Amino acid sequence: MRQPLVAGNWKMNGSREGIFELLKGIREGVKDLAGVDIAVCPPYIYIPEVQGQLHGSPVSWGGQDLSLQQQGAYTGEVSGSMLLDFGCKYVIVGHSERRSYHAESDQQVAEKYQSALDVGLVPILCIGETLEQREQNATEDVVARQLDTVIARCGIAALKNGVIAYEPVWAIGTGKTATPEQAQQVHGFIRGMIAQHDSAVAEKIQILYGGSMKPSNAAELISKPDIDGGLIGGAALKAADFLDICKAASFQA
Ligand code: 13P
C-alpha cells in the first residue's frame, strides 16, 4: 500500500511574517496526523526559516526548482546541493509554470530530474496537458512524451526514488478541478506506462494530483486507486485548508 504524500507548492507567495504564522499552524496541526507524508516547498529565500521551524517535525520541505548546473557562474541559480545543505528532501521539477514562463523543455526537465537524484533529493516531476491539448484528445500523448523523456534520460530505475505529479494545466489556479474520474484515468495511464517497464516501480511510485485541489474535493480525488495525494498551490497557503487536505489523505492511508 502506498502512503499518500501531500505537498504544498507555495509558488511566489508569502512574506516572512505570513510564513511564520503558516508554519506555526502546520506544526501544531500535524501532531494529530498519521499515515501521510507531508511537505512544503517555499520560495528559496524562505527555506532557512522553514528549516528552522520544521526541524524535528514530521513535515519535510523542498525547493520549487533547481539549476541544471552544479555550481559556477550562473547568476540567479540555485543548485541541488544548496537545497540539500538546508535540509530539503524534495524538489519540484518541470512545473508547468517553469515549462511555460521559462521555456523549460522536456529534455531540460529530464536533466534536472537526474541532477536532483544525483545529489540525493527526491524529484517531484510535474507533467500535464493544456486545455487545448485535452480538447484535441492529446492528453495521453503529452504526458507520455513528458514521462518518456525522463525515462529515456534517467532510466526506469530513476523513478524508484521520485514522485510524479499529474497537473493538468487547465486546472492550475483556475478553480476548475479535474473530476476524480478524469484524474484517475490519467493516473492509471501513467502507472500503466511505468508498469510496462517495471511493475515493482509502478506499484511503489506516488502519483500526486495537482490543480485546484482543496478541502472540499481532496478526499474524493485521493480515494481513487491511483491518486496518492496532492501537490497543492492556493490551498497550501492557509494552514487550516492545507491541514484538512492532509487529514483527508491520512484517512485513506
Ligand atoms: P493550485 O492548487 O493553486 O491550482 O496549483 C496547483 C499547482 O500548480 C501545484 O503545483
Side-chain angles (χ1 to χ4, degrees), residues 7-9 11 92 95-97 126 165 167 171-176 209-214 231-236:
N9 174 9
K11 308 192 180 184
I92 298 171
H95 192 280
S96 63
E97 287 148 19
C126 298
E167 298 210 314
I172 296 177
T174 58
K176 264 196 220 167
Y209 170 80
S212 300
M213 191 185 264
K214 43 190 179 255
L231 184 57
I232 321 296

Side-chain angles (χ1 to χ4, degrees), residues 66 68 70 80-81 84 91 110-123 153-154 158 161:
L66 81 170
L68 276 170
Q70 308 305 316
S81 61
L84 207 63
V91 63
E111 292 298 332
K112 288 188 173 189
Y113 189 98
Q114 186 63 50
S115 299
L117 286 181
D118 286 346
V119 297
L121 290 165
V122 177
R153 166 63 183 85
C154 311
N161 300 317

